[in-house]
Amino acid sequence: PHGTEKIIIFAVTTSKLMRNMKQRACGRRIYTFLVTCLVAVMNLQGYASVKVHVQYLTTADGLSNNSVRYIHQDSKGFIWMSSLNGLNRYDGVSMQVYPCFDEVSGRGNQVISALYEDDRRQLWVGTDNGVYIQDLSTGKFSFFDAKTDKGEQISGQWVEDILSDPSGNIWVNVPNLGVYRYHVPTKKLFRYILLPGSDKSKNFPQS
């Protein structure tokens, strides 16, 4: 007979939309549950029982801010949570806060709205003022300063989402400026803007 297995679920108290879960809800307080790891579960069928453990993470657990905008599980299994006051990494036991700050350029922003990990173990961090890239092997941040052929840069506005496609592009949605496409192989940045009269209901940051 099999022993008791556990599915561990973490829940974060949040008043923002969890965009990578593609869930939308209204209200002062939203509870979004993210299954973060399955402990020793190879085949649930045949197991005697499964215990579900729900853990609520707040500032009392080391979270930098109770208002979480985005949750991402990286390739190593760590849980990253963006907030209105910094980036948090949870390993299942303890929380570590990473200030989003580029030591070389002296730029930083702690209002984090989007997260994306590329295939080089770099975490793309969308903020209320551009994009930063964190090297997950060192923890260091660098400001994403690529420019289009017209000299346009992702800066000065909030970033809603960051995604990739199979063709080597990373897409950055900046509601107030348009959509940017960064072609990784050539390191070229392109900007696509909304047509006149398009819906601009998202033109304001989620403060």
Side-chain angles (χ1 to χ4, degrees), residues 156-170:
Q157 295 290 340
W158 74 291
V159 175
E160 183 181 35
D161 207 356
I162 304 174
L163 299 170
S164 66
D165 66 29
S167 301
N169 296 297
I170 292 179

Side-chain angles (χ1 to χ4, degrees), residues 26-123:
C26 298
R28 182 179 179 184
R29 197 163 291 276
I30 302 168
Y31 291 106
T32 300
F33 296 85
L34 174 69
V35 179
T36 60
C37 59
L38 300 179
V39 182
V41 177
M42 293 178 289
N43 185 355
L44 290 179
Q45 295 182 352
Y47 280 83
S49 62
V50 177
K51 290 185 177 180
V52 178
H53 173 67
V54 178
Q55 180 177 356
Y56 293 92
L57 301 176
T58 68
T59 53
D61 303 290
L63 193 64
S64 61
N65 188 280
N66 279 335
S67 186
V68 173
R69 288 183 167 186
Y70 212 101
I71 298 176
H72 170 76
Q73 184 173 18
D74 71 18
S75 55
K76 298 295 184 181
F78 292 105
I79 303 298
W80 294 85
M81 290 167 276
S82 69
S83 77
L84 294 180
N85 187 29
L87 181 63
N88 304 263
R89 190 192 75 176
Y90 190 64
D91 61 7
V93 178
S94 61
M95 191 80 66
Q96 184 170 352
V97 179
Y98 290 83
C100 182
F101 183 77
D102 182 347
E103 297 178 352
V104 176
S105 68
R107 303 180 66 158
N109 191 292
Q110 307 311 314
V111 183
I112 301 172
S113 52
L115 298 172
Y116 167 76
E117 182 187 4
D118 64 22
D119 56 8
R120 293 179 292 175
R121 289 211 73 227
Q122 295 183 131
L123 189 65

